[in-house]
Amino acid sequence: MTLEFRLDPPGGPELRDGVLALWTEVSNAGGAVGFVPPVTPEDIRPAWLKHLGDMAEGRTRLVAGYDAAGTVAATAFLTHNTHRLMRHWIWAYTVMVHPAHQGKGYGRDLMRAVEDAARSFDGIEAIRLTCRGGTGLEDFYASCGYKEVGRVPDAIRVAEGDDRDDITMLLPLH
């Protein structure tokens, strides 16, 4: 089985519920997607609403991966820069694959879908993302062609006494 990736899938309750369920599952499994477990969909809803508002205003695009049952199994939000000197690259945020689907190559498939989407945007020359140190994510992104271009030690406080590096990765598209 493979995931079917869609750029800017149709909105509505199914997408909302699918993304909230995915984000909750990934967070509660220890995924580095902006929350520390335990969380509920209601805890995540404000972040979803912010992304939704940014999508409605055209600042953010969504790449969603659907499994054979049509369930949202992977996502990445692609955000355009508003600064006039940085409009040639985009950010990838909230990159996640459902824990039940990890280890099947879907993360790599998602990153290819992100790259394909970015290449379809006029004037975009690179993708930047950040990841939390101590999870091995920088190695995964490096295996997808991203290069580490910055690191801020102990910038992310997961819990008292558990500080992690904030790592910036870049994928040039040319």
Side-chain angles (χ1 to χ4, degrees), residues 109-156:
D109 293 344
L110 173 60
M111 297 316 295
R112 272 193 295 275
V114 164
E115 182 178 345
D116 290 345
R119 287 182 186 283
S120 76
F121 302 161
D122 287 338
I124 298 302
E125 299 174 11
I127 304 167
R128 276 175 69 175
L129 58 80
T130 62
C131 60
R132 182 186 303 170
T135 62
L137 286 171
E138 66 270 31
D139 295 333
F140 167 72
Y141 290 122
S143 75
C144 294
Y146 288 74
K147 294 183 180 17
E148 182 176 328
V149 295
R151 181 181 290 251
V152 180
D154 301 329
I156 300 170

Side-chain angles (χ1 to χ4, degrees), residues 1-171:
M1 179 185 87
T2 61
L3 298 183
E4 177 190 339
F5 291 96
R6 296 181 202 150
L7 176 61
D8 302 325
E14 286 183 20
L15 180 64
R16 177 200 63 216
D17 294 347
V19 172
L20 288 174
L22 172 65
W23 209 336
T24 301
E25 290 292 326
V26 170
S27 295
N28 286 332
V33 289
F35 294 91
V36 175
V39 295
T40 67
E42 287 307 309
D43 296 324
I44 292 170
R45 185 176 304 277
W48 163 249
L49 291 174
K50 178 172 180 346
H51 281 312
L52 197 60
D54 290 345
M55 289 187 310
E57 293 177 5
R59 288 192 310 267
T60 294
R61 312 276 300 268
L62 173 62
V63 174
Y66 294 85
D67 65 17
T71 302
V72 177
T75 64
F77 292 90
L78 306 179
T79 300
H80 295 274
N81 286 295
T82 57
H83 192 286
R84 68 187 151 279
L85 302 179
M86 297 183 190
R87 291 187 181 143
H88 60 288
W89 58 268
I90 59 170
W91 284 104
Y93 288 109
T94 320
V95 177
M96 54 188 168
V97 174
H98 193 283
H101 293 303
Q102 291 180 3
K104 300 177 182 178
Y106 296 157
R108 197 169 307 285
D109 293 344
L110 173 60
M111 297 316 295
R112 272 193 295 275
V114 164
E115 182 178 345
D116 290 345
R119 287 182 186 283
S120 76
F121 302 161
D122 287 338
I124 298 302
E125 299 174 11
I127 304 167
R128 276 175 69 175
L129 58 80
T130 62
C131 60
R132 182 186 303 170
T135 62
L137 286 171
E138 66 270 31
D139 295 333
F140 167 72
Y141 290 122
S143 75
C144 294
Y146 288 74
K147 294 183 180 17
E148 182 176 328
V149 295
R151 181 181 290 251
V152 180
D154 301 329
I156 300 170
R157 178 154 293 160
V158 178
E160 194 60 41
D162 186 2
D163 295 343
R164 310 283 180 89
D165 293 355
D166 184 18
I167 304 166
T168 302
M169 309 287 293
L170 179 76
L171 178 70

